[in-house]
């Protein structure tokens, strides 16, 4: 039967699938409009009725928190890094990893920055599986969201788990050269991780990922070591 309004019905999917679909449609709009984005705009982008959004999330604030949680979720990025072939040169492995991680940080920062610039999240909706605090893009909880005691501790634990998972996958990239390394892969992974984090903190002419890796592997001096 033809829908007389001309709007296509939301496809049959589970509640979780529907929420994921709405969040994916909302993320670019959140980056553009921050907290000023309307549920009508999100509904148009998702090709669904506005009521579907409220049935899935309850209110706009909960939707915005879900967008922040999705932007902060590192799973896909870590899977990409873990899948980097180990039979290519180490410099190429690290450059691909740096590109993936810097892209993730940029996306997370864009969402967090847009939300912060337009007023930020006013409360913590306690989404199942979502962080207890919104990130400010630096990897730290913003502390702006309200919640029951212990929320900050859970957010910190989530951040530490994400950092540890990142170190683990980076460590694997160094493993084939273990016998030739000055430090164990785990130590180098930690140093490289913090170098990537620091590279995203501004500057008028940031290093490219290739330049970052070259500096990390070969140092600042021409020809290698200081005399």
């Amino acid at each position: 039967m033809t829908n007389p309004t001309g709007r296509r019905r939301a496809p049959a999917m589970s509640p979780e699938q529907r929420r994921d679909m709405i969040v994916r449609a909302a993320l670019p709009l959140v980056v553009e409009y921050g907290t000023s984005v309307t549920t009508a705009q999100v509904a148009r982008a998702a090709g669904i009725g506005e009521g579907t959004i409220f049935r899935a999330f309850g209110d706009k604030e909960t939707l915005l928190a879900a967008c922040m949680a999705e932007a902060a979720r590192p799973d896909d990025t870590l899977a990409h890094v873990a899948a980097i072939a180990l039979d290519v040169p180490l410099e190429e492995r690290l450059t691909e990893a740096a590109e993936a991680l810097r892209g993730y940080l940029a996306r997370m920062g864009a969402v967090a920055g847009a939300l912060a610039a337009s007023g930020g999240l006013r409360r913590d909706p306690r989404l199942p599986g979502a962080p207890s605090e919104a990130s400010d893009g630096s990897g730290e909880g913003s502390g702006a969201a309200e919640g029951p005691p212990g929320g900050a501790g859970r957010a910190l634990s989530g951040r530490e788990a994400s950092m540890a998972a990142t170190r683990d996958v980076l460590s694997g990239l160094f493993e084939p050269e273990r016998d030739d390394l000055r430090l164990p892969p785990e130590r180098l992974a930690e140093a490289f991780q913090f170098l990537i984090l620091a590279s995203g903190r501004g500057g008028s002419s940031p290093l490219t990922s290739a330049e970052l890796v070259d500096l990390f592997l070969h140092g600042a001096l021409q020809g290698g070591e200081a005399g």
Side-chain angles (χ1 to χ4, degrees):
M1 182 176 178
T2 304
N3 186 343
T5 65
R7 177 181 291 135
R8 64 183 171 90
R9 294 181 180 275
M13 54 181 69
S14 71
E16 182 177 357
Q17 289 173 324
R18 184 171 293 111
R19 285 192 294 268
D20 289 344
M21 179 271 291
I22 294 170
V23 166
R24 286 195 299 271
L27 277 169
L29 295 170
V30 172
V31 171
E32 184 173 359
Y33 297 105
T35 57
S36 298
V37 67
T38 67
T39 52
Q41 288 174 308
V42 175
R44 283 195 297 272
I48 58 176
E50 194 172 2
T52 302
I53 294 176
F54 292 108
R55 286 191 293 274
F57 292 97
D59 57 30
K60 188 178 83 169
E61 193 73 10
T62 306
L63 170 59
L64 292 178
C67 288
M68 187 65 251
E70 175 62 22
R73 187 174 62 84
D75 307 39
D76 292 343
T77 299
L78 295 186
H80 178 157
V81 175
I84 293 174
L86 298 181
D87 58 354
V88 299
L90 176 60
E91 192 159 352
E92 291 183 25
R93 276 175 256 153
L94 294 182
T95 300
E96 184 175 349
E99 282 288 292
L101 290 168
R102 294 174 90 184
Y104 158 72
L105 291 170
R107 291 188 297 272
M108 180 173 63
V111 174
L115 291 173
S118 55
L121 296 175
R122 292 185 296 276
R123 61 181 174 80
D124 181 1
R126 298 291 161 190
L127 289 171
S132 60
E133 293 187 2
S135 170
D136 63 1
S138 66
E140 301 282 357
S142 68
E146 298 177 0
R154 285 192 296 275
L156 182 61
S157 297
R159 176 178 179 266
E160 289 175 342
S162 176
M163 294 284 283
T166 302
R167 286 194 296 273
D168 285 346
V169 295
L170 287 174
S171 177
L173 299 182
F174 289 97
E175 196 61 43
E177 283 78 17
R178 176 181 280 273
D179 293 341
D180 298 320
L181 299 173
R182 291 183 174 180
L183 292 172
E186 297 79 13
R187 295 285 305 280
L188 291 172
E190 184 175 24
F192 188 62
Q193 178 182 33
F194 282 110
L195 186 62
I196 292 172
L197 289 171
S199 73
R201 294 187 178 276
S204 58
S205 182
L207 295 174
T208 66
S209 294
E211 289 171 333
L212 198 74
V213 170
D214 183 69
L215 184 65
F216 180 79
L217 291 178
H218 306 297
L221 294 176
Q222 293 275 6
E225 299 181 12

